[in-house]
Amino acid sequence: MATVAQEKGAGIQLLTGSEVMANIVRLADVDVITAYPIRPYDTVMQYVSRFIANGEFDADYIPAESEHGQFEIVKHASACGARVFTGSSGVGWLYAMEPLAVTAGLRLPMVALVGCRALDDPGAFGTEHNDAMLVRDLGWLITFPDNAQEVVELGLLAYRVAEDPKVFLPCAIAMDGAFLTHSQATVKLPTQEQVNKFLPAYDRGDLLLHPDNPVTIAPQANEDWLMEVRRQSSEAAKRAYTVLKDAHKDFCRIFGESTNPFLDEYMTEDADVVLCGLGTLSLPVKVAIREMRKEGKKVGLVRLKWFRPFPTEELRASLSRFKAVGVVDRDYSFGSPFHGGILFNEVKAALYGSPKQPLMKGFVCGLGGREVLLENVKHMADQMFAIAKSGKADNQVEWIGVRG
């Protein structure tokens, strides 16, 4: 098993999102790491390998022959009781789809960084969320940090929740490519003592794959037991919600934080309309909100920190306070209801049947890493003010900033 050579790096530093995640991997004392190059996620592996080369971190670091092999290695290491870390981006993430599906089915708490990027073709290296979203129905937990500091919170919570025996599900940390993986910000890193207090050792108990504990893994269940196995995974995904809430309380107590476990609200106290989205979208939206507030426009932001477990009750309580809600997707779901994005349809489903439902409209923007400009945000907010004033929403989804 790996051991931390010495405590290092606590305090305020200038770091990218990938560098912060590499520090979380070091502080979490991960045992087995696999890497295969594809941008933009692979910068995290460069930083992890530097820690190991400099003697600051001891772990088994295995360069794989492909993404498929990469995820297979850590899957089996996790079954043997090793804390693991891996990751990928875009079509590389999809090349590993077989082990991605199997890992969730086997209830193995793999933690992976998805450096979100567009899926080919046509080729594009910029941010989209469709790669990470493809595991949303398989049993993966998915979290979307919006800045480098939040990677500390969500990275540590990923290990804590995924490895809880009541959950034992894999977790994807979906980090916007370039905007977060490569952009530097001042970040306060925790001490090793704080992390040790928050993160217990990974213990598979009776499920451990070991010669002294013979167990069967991945048996052929067929129609005799498959529904029962699926139901167990569903119950684990339900329990992840409560486990996450409890773990977040511990996080706030140990690290002196006072964040909300599921939602980030910005200038919503007196807002008439809000925009709702994921990840680094919050950065241009918050700037635009400050400018619109100077014009007397009561607009705010509600950002989801976790997509799985989906914070249904928190979102219903929050969004029901507003006259109109614009849901901004950095993804697409071709042929879906209203031809909207994935988040738009999930938010609509969560609010269906709510005693008080705001008027809603979907927007698709920022695909392929295209910048979301202040004028784009102001346009979307103005659309929502118009809907709130008219009292009608037509379910039409608008693509923002599209030529032709």
Side-chain angles (χ1 to χ4, degrees):
M1 294 293 180
T3 58
V4 177
Q6 62 182 38
E7 183 166 351
K8 179 180 170 62
I12 296 177
Q13 298 187 44
L14 184 64
L15 300 170
T16 67
S18 291
E19 286 177 298
V20 175
M21 191 63 220
N23 275 283
I24 295 303
V25 170
R26 175 181 59 82
L27 290 164
D29 198 12
V30 170
D31 302 305
V32 178
I33 299 160
T34 57
Y36 187 81
I38 185 170
R39 58 183 169 178
Y41 112 93
D42 57 353
T43 51
V44 71
M45 293 307 180
Q46 295 171 24
Y47 297 124
V48 169
S49 63
R50 184 185 301 170
F51 283 140
I52 294 173
N54 291 342
E56 300 166 1
F57 176 39
D58 181 18
D60 291 322
Y61 185 98
I62 305 171
E65 94 294 351
S66 70
E67 288 90 349
H68 190 284
Q70 181 187 0
F71 282 80
E72 283 289 344
I73 293 167
V74 283
K75 183 189 81 180
H76 289 87
S78 180
C80 295
R83 177 170 286 165
V84 301
F85 177 71
T86 189
S88 193
S89 291
V91 291
W93 177 251
L94 268 65
Y95 187 53
M97 187 52 74
E98 183 191 16
L100 291 179
V102 171
T103 298
L106 290 175
R107 307 282 300 281
L108 296 171
M110 174 193 301
V111 172
L113 172 65
V114 187
C116 292
R117 86 173 225 194
L119 299 172
D120 301 333
D121 277 336
F125 298 128
T127 291
E128 279 183 13
H129 292 162
N130 278 82
D131 51 1
M133 289 291 196
L134 284 169
V135 297
R136 70 185 185 277
D137 299 327
L138 300 179
W140 279 72
L141 313 173
I142 308 175
T143 182
F144 283 87
D146 84 326
N147 63 67
Q149 184 63 60
E150 201 172 66
V151 175
V152 174
E153 173 187 331
L154 300 182
L156 288 172
L157 281 168
Y159 278 106
R160 171 76 177 262
V161 177
E163 293 178 353
D164 190 298
K166 294 188 289 295
V167 178
F168 275 165
L169 288 171
C171 183
I173 301 170
M175 196 181 294
D176 285 354
F179 294 128
L180 184 49
T181 56
H182 289 64
S183 297
Q184 290 183 316
T186 53
V187 176
K188 183 181 180 182
L189 290 178
T191 66
Q192 187 67 63
E193 182 181 3
Q194 287 175 306
V195 173
N196 291 346
K197 191 179 296 184
F198 175 73
L199 192 60
Y202 171 41
D203 182 2
R204 285 197 67 73
D206 294 340
L207 301 175
L208 182 69
L209 177 61
H210 189 278
D212 294 337
N213 184 50
V215 294
T216 299
I217 293 182
Q220 192 70 19
N222 294 334
E223 68 275 15
D224 292 335
W225 286 103
L226 189 63
M227 283 196 65
E228 285 73 15
V229 173
R230 294 284 186 263
R231 176 61 183 270
Q232 288 180 358
S233 293
S234 176
E235 293 301 313
K238 289 180 185 175
R239 290 193 292 270
Y241 171 84
T242 305
V243 171
L244 175 56
K245 286 185 72 172
D246 292 342
H248 182 265
K249 289 179 184 175
D250 275 353
F251 179 88
C252 290
R253 176 177 56 82
I254 294 170
F255 297 95
E257 302 286 346
S258 58
T259 59
N260 182 292
F262 296 107
L263 302 178
D264 170 31
E265 294 201 12
Y266 185 72
M267 292 192 173
T268 59
E269 291 80 4
D270 62 345
D272 292 323
V273 308
V274 296
L275 297 177
C276 178
L278 297 165
T280 60
L281 176 75
S282 67
L283 302 179
V285 170
K286 287 180 178 178
V287 174
I289 286 174
R290 289 197 290 272
E291 291 195 1
M292 288 185 285
R293 284 277 173 171
K294 294 176 183 175
E295 302 169 7
K297 296 179 178 179
K298 295 181 178 179
V299 56
L301 167 72
V302 176
R303 177 178 61 88
L304 285 77
K305 296 163 68 173
W306 290 85
F307 193 74
R308 292 288 186 271
F310 195 87
T312 305
E313 295 305 320
E314 286 77 6
L315 203 63
R316 287 166 70 118
S318 171
L319 298 186
S320 64
R321 296 150 45 206
F322 311 112
K323 296 177 182 176
V325 176
V327 181
V328 187
D329 274 276
R330 214 162 197 157
D331 60 73
Y332 47 84
S333 181
F334 301 140
S336 66
F338 312 113
H339 304 283
I342 297 168
L343 179 63
F344 173 63
N345 280 308
E346 294 240 357
V347 172
K348 279 186 76 75
L351 288 170
Y352 183 79
S354 179
K356 187 178 179 183
Q357 298 184 39
L359 299 166
M360 291 183 62
K361 180 178 178 64
F363 299 97
V364 175
C365 76
L367 300 185
R370 183 173 293 187
E371 291 275 3
V372 179
L373 304 175
L374 298 189
E375 63 192 57
N376 301 144
V377 179
K378 292 177 180 178
H379 171 77
M380 291 186 281
D382 285 340
Q383 291 284 309
M384 300 320 300
F385 280 115
I387 288 173
K389 184 177 181 180
S390 69
K392 297 179 181 177
D394 57 10
N395 285 323
Q396 294 296 311
V397 174
E398 182 177 348
W399 288 54
I400 300 299
V402 179
R403 299 187 299 271

